[in-house]
Amino acid sequence: MKNKFLSIDCGKANTKVIAYDPGSSDIRTSIIATNVAKPNALVALCKTGSHHTVKIESDDKEISGEWMIGATGGESTYSNSKKDMIHKIMTLTAIALVTDNGDTIIPSVGCPLSVFEDPDQKADLYNYLFTNGRVDITVDGDNRFYYIEKDKGLIFPESFGALFLYPDKFIGHTGIVDIGGLNLNASYFDSSRLVSDLCATEKLGCFSIVSAVRSRLNAFCDASF
């Protein structure tokens, strides 16, 4: 049983998680496709090497029960909000993949800039994704449990990782364009300080780009891409 810091990015295409144990400096990571479905024969045919069958025990009836995640036959979310059942299931499962039974975790999670600038929306998202205390989840038949210290967790604007990875790049005026699955975040920094008035979140992620290109090609080539 250890205390660990976790960073979770539940994207429209993939869910990424990294766990850091400050005692041993051990780092664990996992990436899994953001697909969720009730187990059935069709989904079973579409299993990939990184799929998992999970069972969540929760008072929240929306997420309680058995799920198959990461399988190609699962459902992705096309909601522009992170406050989505699929995001919640993926987040709780991702934590289980990089922790040991009894671990206490302090989570950090990203959100669109438009949400980060609104304290109520930001708190609402965080409270939706995480409960305080013990979480019980069965992953591939293995009973798992961990504890969340919700009050110590943090929420960051999406794309902020670059600020920590490349601090030398943020001297003076710097911009980041982060193209996600559904959203595009454009953030502007002045000597590492976020300038909120010059930032924007648009619904122009890669799924939107692919859809627009497909429509144009279909019309131009009289085809069906």
Side-chain angles (χ1 to χ4, degrees):
M1 294 185 293
K2 298 178 180 179
N3 293 324
K4 294 180 178 177
F5 296 96
L6 273 90
S7 179
I8 305 158
D9 177 10
C10 189
K12 304 300 179 183
N14 295 293
T15 296
K16 291 80 67 180
V17 61
I18 182 168
Y20 173 68
D21 179 354
S24 64
S25 296
D26 178 55
I27 294 176
R28 298 184 190 178
T29 63
S30 182
I31 300 175
I32 189 166
T34 305
N35 295 318
V36 173
K38 286 288 188 181
N40 58 57
L42 178 60
V43 174
L45 289 173
C46 302
K47 291 189 294 188
T48 63
S50 61
H51 82 279
H52 298 278
T53 300
V54 304
K55 184 177 181 181
I56 299 175
E57 299 176 21
S58 172
D59 294 333
D60 184 347
K61 298 188 182 300
E62 187 180 39
I63 66 168
S64 184
E66 191 169 341
W67 306 92
M68 185 172 286
I69 67 168
T72 306
E75 295 182 15
S76 299
T77 175
Y78 292 95
S79 167
N80 279 285
S81 171
K82 294 279 189 179
K83 190 181 174 184
D84 180 280
M85 177 192 75
I86 291 178
H87 281 302
K88 189 169 185 177
I89 293 171
M90 293 299 305
T91 296
L92 297 178
T93 303
I95 295 173
L97 295 177
V98 293
T99 55
D100 297 314
N101 277 350
D103 282 351
T104 297
I105 68 105
I106 298 173
S108 63
V109 65
C111 70
L113 288 163
S114 56
V115 173
F116 184 78
E117 290 300 311
D118 186 321
D120 292 333
Q121 285 193 62
K122 184 167 63 173
D124 196 35
L125 171 63
Y126 189 81
N127 290 328
Y128 174 79
L129 291 175
F130 301 108
T131 56
N132 195 53
R134 178 165 169 155
V135 174
D136 288 276
I137 182 171
T138 302
V139 180
D140 299 327
D142 183 19
N143 295 326
R144 309 293 305 278
F145 70 95
Y146 54 82
Y147 299 90
I148 297 177
E149 287 198 22
K150 181 179 171 182
D151 295 340
K152 294 183 179 180
L154 297 169
I155 186 165
F156 292 97
E158 291 171 347
S159 76
F160 249 43
L163 181 64
F164 298 95
L165 287 173
Y166 311 106
D168 57 311
K169 304 288 187 183
F170 288 83
I171 299 172
H173 303 289
T174 313
I176 299 177
V177 177
D178 178 4
I179 304 174
L182 287 181
N183 293 331
L184 179 149
N185 285 297
S187 49
Y188 180 80
F189 296 84
D190 183 0
S191 298
S192 301
R193 182 181 62 86
L194 183 68
V195 183
S196 302
D197 293 345
L198 298 178
C199 298
T201 298
E202 301 291 345
K203 297 177 182 179
L204 295 171
C206 67
F207 292 167
S208 299
I209 295 171
V210 169
S211 178
V213 171
R214 182 191 298 119
S215 297
R216 293 289 185 91
L217 285 172
N218 286 340
F220 181 76
C221 301
D222 190 21
S224 179
F225 285 94

